[in-house]
Amino acid sequence: MGNNINKLKQLYTINDKETPIIYHYTTLEALINGLISLKGICLRATNCEYLNDISEIKEGLSQISEKIIFERLYPWFSKTCSISFSRVSDSLPMWNTYGNKGMGIALGFDTTIILETINELKNIPIATFPQISPNPLEYSLEARTYFPQLVKCIYNYKSRLLHDFFDKSIEIANAVYKGDINEDASVFISTILSIKNLCFEYEQEIRLIGCGLLPDIPNQFIAQPTTSFKYRCNNNMLIPYKEYIFPRNSLKELWIGPTQNKELSQKSIELFLHENNINSCQIRLSNLPYRNK
């Protein structure tokens, strides 16, 4: 299966030369209400069960023919969290869905800096991780497997390559369930969490995924050291999330959506960023001929 494993990696692996900037669509309210903190730039990693796509995780796990595998692995996969980015900087459907119907912003992050800071976590001893599970196997699985990873979403999951992989993945899935995490198992997990329904292909999503079990370390990439979730309210529901704080110099662009008074908005955003010591970020205005009334 070695050759297929390498081909699968290519499906979800980010090439920072091809995608130097990744974009996170959000609101102006988020910008002034905690997104920029004294530590850096704070983004929320939402628990995957509460993302917009109600088929998250299930879409990937359902490709495995054995139903018992789904039942065993779904509870663990449902603990994972995700921050969504996109390869597109000025997309009308993205503005409408995630950018407050064009009145929001899109933050452009340096892919290389994000990858470098994530990679620093791979050398952290397991013993420094918070142990929330009394089950040693479950703890080992959570601690060893899910350092954050940045992956491209896979929309064409009906391909022959993926079909053959899932057809032979029952043994790997059982190994994951037992906490035996080797390279094949790591690729299996990343593939499951990268699969997304084809109807969302316009998003061109890149996601940071992880279980959130991170130690409190003196590092430029800082995660909430607690094992508990934080919560926000949306559509009459509490949404659990983790916070990840990125270095200030990772923010390279800020796009202002296709709303009225873009030029005036640019002035106040520039002032806000300057007062918060964000000086390497270029402000860009949407080019879309769209007016939100």
Side-chain angles (χ1 to χ4, degrees), residues 1-9 11-12 60-61 63-65 77 154 157-173 176 182-193 195:
M1 189 177 286
N3 191 39
N4 277 353
I5 288 293
N6 290 329
K7 290 180 179 179
L8 277 172
K9 283 184 178 180
L11 288 180
Y12 64 74
L61 282 176
Q63 306 306 307
I64 304 171
S65 58
F77 274 99
I154 300 170
Y157 55 86
K158 301 296 185 182
S159 67
R160 171 57 60 182
L161 175 63
L162 281 167
H163 179 272
D164 290 346
F165 173 73
F166 283 118
D167 197 42
K168 301 173 183 176
S169 64
I170 294 175
E171 184 177 341
I172 297 175
V176 170
N182 54 26
E183 183 183 8
D184 287 0
S186 180
V187 171
F188 170 81
I189 293 167
S190 296
T191 303
I192 292 291
L193 292 173
I195 287 178

Side-chain angles (χ1 to χ4, degrees), residues 48 51-63 87 94 98 152-158 162 191-205 207:
C48 286
L51 296 173
N52 285 2
D53 180 359
I54 61 175
S55 64
E56 290 287 355
I57 308 171
K58 298 174 183 176
E59 198 82 34
L61 282 176
S62 65
Q63 306 306 307
R87 283 179 282 178
M94 291 295 287
Y98 304 107
K152 291 187 295 188
C153 281
I154 300 170
Y155 301 98
N156 182 25
Y157 55 86
K158 301 296 185 182
L162 281 167
T191 303
I192 292 291
L193 292 173
S194 301
I195 287 178
K196 197 169 175 71
N197 192 286
L198 186 62
C199 70
F200 291 97
E201 188 174 17
Y202 71 89
E203 296 179 352
Q204 296 187 44
E205 184 179 352
R207 54 175 51 168

Side-chain angles (χ1 to χ4, degrees), residues 278-292:
I278 306 289
N279 300 313
S280 61
C281 178
Q282 184 174 2
I283 308 296
R284 299 182 183 274
L285 305 181
S286 171
N287 296 312
L288 298 174
Y290 173 77
R291 181 183 296 117
N292 190 310

Side-chain angles (χ1 to χ4, degrees), residues 216-228:
D216 188 12
I217 52 177
N219 180 293
Q220 68 180 122
F221 183 95
I222 307 169
Q224 283 299 114
T226 60
T227 57
S228 58

Side-chain angles (χ1 to χ4, degrees), residues 77-205:
F77 274 99
S78 66
K79 296 178 184 178
T80 58
C81 297
S82 172
I83 301 175
S84 295
F85 300 91
S86 174
R87 283 179 282 178
V88 292
S89 59
D90 192 19
S91 161
L92 186 55
M94 291 295 287
W95 286 122
N96 277 326
T97 307
Y98 304 107
N100 196 20
K101 299 192 182 302
M103 295 184 288
I105 55 176
L107 304 174
F109 291 91
D110 187 308
T111 308
T112 300
I113 294 177
I114 300 300
L115 287 171
E116 287 174 351
T117 49
I118 290 174
N119 286 336
E120 289 179 15
L121 293 170
K122 293 183 178 179
N123 296 319
I124 300 171
I126 293 175
T128 63
F129 281 68
Q131 184 166 349
I132 65 171
S133 172
N135 183 329
L137 285 177
E138 186 174 349
Y139 166 62
S140 175
L141 172 63
E142 291 173 342
R144 282 192 292 156
T145 309
Y146 249 58
F147 299 101
Q149 291 194 47
L150 198 65
V151 299
K152 291 187 295 188
C153 281
I154 300 170
Y155 301 98
N156 182 25
Y157 55 86
K158 301 296 185 182
S159 67
R160 171 57 60 182
L161 175 63
L162 281 167
H163 179 272
D164 290 346
F165 173 73
F166 283 118
D167 197 42
K168 301 173 183 176
S169 64
I170 294 175
E171 184 177 341
I172 297 175
N174 279 317
V176 170
Y177 177 69
K178 294 175 182 177
D180 182 12
I181 307 301
N182 54 26
E183 183 183 8
D184 287 0
S186 180
V187 171
F188 170 81
I189 293 167
S190 296
T191 303
I192 292 291
L193 292 173
S194 301
I195 287 178
K196 197 169 175 71
N197 192 286
L198 186 62
C199 70
F200 291 97
E201 188 174 17
Y202 71 89
E203 296 179 352
Q204 296 187 44
E205 184 179 352

